[in-house]
Amino acid sequence: MEPSEPQRRYVAPAVLATASLLGIFAFHLFYAWQGFPIFRDQHLGAALIYARDGIDLLRPVIVGFNANNAPTPQEFPLWQAAASLPLRWFGGWFGWANIVSILLFCTALYPAYRLGAELGGRAAGWWTVALLLIQPLVWTQGGQAGTDSTCIAAAIWFFYCGHRALRTPRKVMWTLATAVTGALAATLKLPFMMAAGLALGILLLLNHRKNPSAWVSLGIAGAFAAGVFAVWTHHTDACIAQAEFPYVDLRLSHNPEMVWWYFGDWNYRLNPANWIKGGWRALNGLFGSFALVALPAAALGLRRAPSTAVALLAGAFAVTCIFSHLVLHHHQYFLMYSLPVALLITPVVSGGWARLESVWRWPKFLLVAALLVVGLLGVLQGIIGLETIHQDPYPDTITRRIKEHTSPQDKLLIVGGGWGGDYLFLSDREGLSIWSAGFLDENDNLRRLRDLGYTKLVLIGESPLAAALQMTNPGGADYQRRTYEPALSPASREWTTVHQDADLIIKQLPVGGSPNP
């Protein structure tokens, strides 16, 4: 039975969306099965602790982040709790955490579809979903074992609920939904929530500024979300204050470096090199093939840009200017551009595809197959540009050496790992991440750590592959691989060496209160 003409209009985008989603699953599960799972250590480590000890949503612990295992809540640990369940039920294979990330991201596909359908019916809705899922950044971050896919899903739901609250007469229900999703989005990742909130504010001013109920609706939702965020921040600061020897003091009120980490400064904002690097990340992540940048340019040039897309783009760019260092320094923050880019180019792609189908004289499946090939090639190019396709044996090699030369009873002071304690939970050891051994030259610090049970100092050199990738970044040609030598202090150089090679050195902490053996 042949599909009807209206059905044919969304067969191609539905096939592309389905193939992309299956590709995201296959990409992450293949890497996890090969022993190279894609994860963020601070999030996965907390999920592993939840799986072992039980879920406490108010007191998540980042592995190795402080010496006394004080809780370190940042984002509300929804993903960590969800990921811990299959890790507990089915075993510690990290691929379960990748699956949870993808499933939580998939919750955002419904609001994305509905926003797209407003532009031109079911076909436009399917094209929006397909153009979202085919982005290389969504392939990498949407399935990464970490919170980012959940954070952007919450922000999309917040925008969708707020958008409905502006347009529907059923204000109460959608105001409540906007308030709840806004509070969740704010406590998961504030920049994503701010981008969506600013977009709603723009739409309010453009289309609903004379509607008092619209102002009241967004005002109530925004005030509720702000209040919840303030309470959560107060709680996180109180927990972080309990930490001994924190790897970083994450409180903005106590650490000026964190202010710079989040916001940068005017010198950073006005440096063209930072915007070039950030733009390179964005283009790779959102389009893959740079030729596809012509699509949003066409949408803007032909004045076919939907107001929702323009508002979301404006909100995302405003947040980029506010949190300049945080956004430009990382890949994952460009996820806030993913939905507006998909919405922006949907009318161009949908209309162009309809015209192409009308003149195509060969079997339609060949045209759909060509679409899949072009989409996949763009994804592969983007993923390569994002430096994600690699299988680095270095962490596994270092982990095996740590296991060989330490015991499960040892508590390690570790230099050179990720700030989320990746080498600690990969080697099934407890410990503390530190920047260098210099602070151990003070008697009080060493004595306190000995009292807390710490026994060995582990210093790790940078992965050669990671260093090589840094060199390929714009402006990174002079980058030099970091070794462990500079992190050794004068006193620690004299401590008993348990193991030493070119990439790793393990020292025995001296017994007693003095750093000098």
Side-chain angles (χ1 to χ4, degrees):
M1 180 178 178
E2 286 290 322
S4 65
E5 188 62 32
Q7 288 176 319
R8 287 197 189 99
R9 291 171 55 204
Y10 59 82
V11 167
V15 170
L16 179 61
T18 303
S20 298
L21 184 58
L22 293 175
I24 293 170
F25 272 104
F27 174 73
H28 285 278
L29 296 186
F30 172 78
Y31 269 87
W33 176 66
Q34 290 286 308
F36 301 97
I38 301 173
F39 61 85
R40 294 190 69 187
D41 54 356
Q42 67 270 37
H43 303 148
L44 180 58
L48 292 169
I49 292 175
Y50 275 170
R52 183 191 67 196
D53 300 336
I55 296 171
D56 184 344
L57 292 175
L58 296 180
R59 299 174 62 82
V61 174
I62 297 177
V63 174
F65 202 75
N66 56 68
N68 55 330
N69 283 330
T72 311
Q74 291 182 283
E75 64 283 308
F76 182 70
L78 176 63
W79 179 89
Q80 292 90 326
S84 72
L85 298 178
L87 290 169
R88 175 184 292 182
W89 295 337
F90 307 121
W93 182 55
F94 293 170
W96 296 118
N98 296 115
I99 292 173
V100 168
S101 293
I102 298 171
L103 293 177
L104 288 172
F105 178 79
C106 284
T107 64
L109 298 183
Y110 174 76
Y113 170 83
R114 290 300 300 267
L115 290 167
E118 292 180 2
L119 307 178
R122 297 177 68 181
W126 275 108
W127 274 114
T128 299
V129 172
L131 294 169
L132 177 65
L133 289 173
I134 202 63
Q135 295 175 21
L137 189 62
V138 171
W139 275 54
T140 58
Q141 302 297 324
Q144 181 178 246
T147 64
D148 296 301
S149 62
T150 307
C151 297
I152 194 61
I156 291 172
W157 271 107
F158 167 56
F159 177 79
Y160 172 70
C161 292
H163 184 60
R164 292 297 301 270
L166 290 174
R167 295 163 59 94
T168 182
R170 294 181 294 173
K171 294 290 186 189
V172 174
M173 182 186 76
W174 286 108
T175 298
L176 290 174
T178 305
V180 171
T181 54
L184 179 62
T187 55
L188 285 173
K189 196 176 287 290
L190 182 63
F192 287 175
M193 183 270 186
M194 285 181 59
L198 288 171
L200 290 173
I202 292 170
L203 292 177
L204 175 65
L205 292 173
L206 288 177
N207 303 324
H208 307 278
R209 59 183 176 275
K210 296 182 180 180
N211 185 347
S213 64
W215 285 89
V216 172
S217 179
L218 286 192
I220 291 173
F224 178 79
V228 171
F229 178 76
V231 171
W232 178 252
T233 301
H234 177 77
H235 169 69
T236 60
D237 284 356
C239 290
I240 292 170
Q242 303 170 23
E244 293 188 60
F245 301 103
Y247 188 63
V248 176
D249 189 338
L250 297 171
R251 296 171 293 175
L252 293 177
S253 58
H254 288 67
N255 187 356
E257 291 183 1
M258 288 306 301
V259 176
W260 188 89
W261 177 258
Y262 282 114
F263 303 105
D265 54 25
W266 284 109
N267 288 333
Y268 185 90
R269 289 187 184 92
L270 297 177
N271 186 343
N274 297 323
W275 291 93
I276 292 171
K277 292 178 183 179
W280 176 265
R281 292 189 177 100
L283 292 175
N284 274 300
L286 298 172
F287 299 102
S289 172
F290 286 8
L292 297 179
V293 178
L295 294 175
L300 293 170
L302 298 174
R303 297 184 179 179
R304 300 181 63 183
S307 60
T308 51
V310 174
L312 282 166
L313 280 174
F317 183 72
V319 169
T320 303
C321 293
I322 296 169
F323 295 91
S324 55
H325 180 264
L326 191 68
V327 175
L328 296 176
H329 189 73
H330 299 93
H331 293 124
Q332 65 268 22
Y333 282 92
F334 290 104
L335 281 171
M336 61 186 172
Y337 289 90
S338 291
L339 179 60
V341 164
L343 289 169
L344 182 66
I345 65 179
T346 285
V348 175
V349 174
S350 179
W353 183 262
R355 289 189 292 273
L356 182 59
E357 277 191 321
S358 67
V359 300
W360 185 265
R361 300 306 177 204
W362 292 275
K364 287 292 194 294
F365 79 89
L366 294 176
L367 188 58
V368 175
L371 175 68
L372 293 177
V373 170
V374 171
L376 180 60
L377 289 176
V379 167
L380 290 176
Q381 181 177 337
I383 291 176
I384 291 171
L386 291 170
E387 302 164 357
T388 304
I389 293 186
H390 59 76
Q391 296 183 351
D392 189 356
Y394 189 78
D396 185 61
T397 300
I398 295 297
T399 297
R400 283 190 282 103
R401 292 176 188 169
I402 292 174
K403 285 184 174 181
E404 289 172 4
H405 299 287
T406 65
S407 73
Q409 291 74 39
D410 282 320
K411 291 183 72 173
L412 311 179
L413 300 170
I414 193 161
V415 178
W419 72 274
D422 51 354
Y423 283 114
L424 289 169
F425 64 74
L426 290 172
S427 61
D428 197 24
R429 298 290 187 266
E430 292 189 22
L432 170 66
S433 299
I434 60 176
W435 293 101
S436 73
F439 79 111
L440 297 174
D441 288 1
E442 297 182 20
N443 292 349
D444 291 343
N445 292 339
L446 181 61
R447 185 182 299 110
R448 177 55 183 157
L449 289 167
R450 291 289 306 181
D451 291 342
L452 290 171
Y454 289 88
T455 56
K456 287 185 171 65
L457 172 67
V458 178
L459 298 98
I460 304 167
E462 185 179 17
S463 160
L465 177 58
L469 291 173
Q470 290 286 347
M471 295 175 193
T472 64
N473 281 333
D478 296 330
Y479 184 86
Q480 297 293 320
R481 181 194 176 205
R482 297 191 303 270
T483 67
Y484 59 74
E485 279 290 335
L488 283 166
S489 65
S492 64
R493 292 178 185 275
E494 306 301 321
W495 298 346
T496 301
T497 300
V498 177
H499 170 81
Q500 183 175 9
D501 57 45
D503 302 313
L504 172 72
I505 186 170
I506 300 175
K507 294 276 191 176
Q508 183 74 43
L509 265 64
V511 177
S514 172
N516 298 307

